[in-house]
Amino acid sequence: MDGFNTFEKQDKVLLGLNSGNDAAAAYRILQQQGFAVLTFTAEEATAPAQLLPLLAEQAAKLDCAFIATGHYARIEVDEDGVSHVVAAVDADADQSALLAGLPQELLAKLVLPLGEFTKADAAEIASAKAE
């Protein structure tokens, strides 16, 4: 499977969790990308517009360079250094519209580990035994 970007080993990321396979897959992918993963559990009904600022606030308290969620979308940075939300590889699972209106200061810190994977890939990653 492709989709594994690599980051500096010392980078900490705060992952906003809910229950389910997507959260487990996001956690495993972030670890494989070299992050030290901390978790934060939010109410399931919390919309991204409320969740991400809360996540960023908690990340700052914990000295985390990045925040992450299990949304199916991707972040691309243009030649001017501006971050943009783009559709996930899995069009059927794409959640980029939910994240479209987020401010630049959040997008610049946001890692979306599931955006490069299909829902089936994520389920397989989540169910894989830890090595």
Side-chain angles (χ1 to χ4, degrees):
M1 282 179 252
D2 291 328
F4 286 96
N5 297 318
T6 57
F7 294 84
E8 295 298 320
K9 184 64 178 170
Q10 73 274 12
D11 284 342
K12 290 193 291 185
V13 63
L14 185 62
L15 173 62
L17 290 179
N18 59 16
S19 60
N21 281 344
D22 290 344
Y27 187 91
R28 286 180 185 245
I29 293 166
L30 289 166
Q31 284 185 318
Q32 290 177 7
Q33 290 176 330
F35 282 107
V37 183
L38 305 178
T39 59
F40 176 78
T41 304
E43 297 294 323
E44 281 210 35
T46 304
Q50 289 83 40
L51 171 64
L52 290 169
L54 181 60
L55 201 57
E57 181 181 310
Q58 292 301 315
K61 291 178 185 175
L62 297 169
D63 195 31
C64 293
F66 298 97
I67 57 175
T69 69
H71 289 97
Y72 284 86
R74 296 177 292 155
I75 301 292
E76 289 185 356
V77 181
D78 66 21
E79 61 276 356
D80 296 322
V82 178
S83 298
H84 302 275
V85 177
V86 297
V89 168
D90 186 343
D92 292 332
D94 179 54
Q95 296 175 305
S96 58
L98 295 173
L99 306 172
L102 293 173
Q104 191 58 216
E105 63 267 12
L106 290 177
L107 293 179
K109 295 179 179 183
L110 185 59
V111 178
L112 299 170
L114 300 182
E116 299 290 336
F117 297 92
T118 65
K119 196 90 160 149
D121 288 340
E124 186 179 316
I125 291 166
S127 66
K129 297 271 187 251
E131 295 179 14

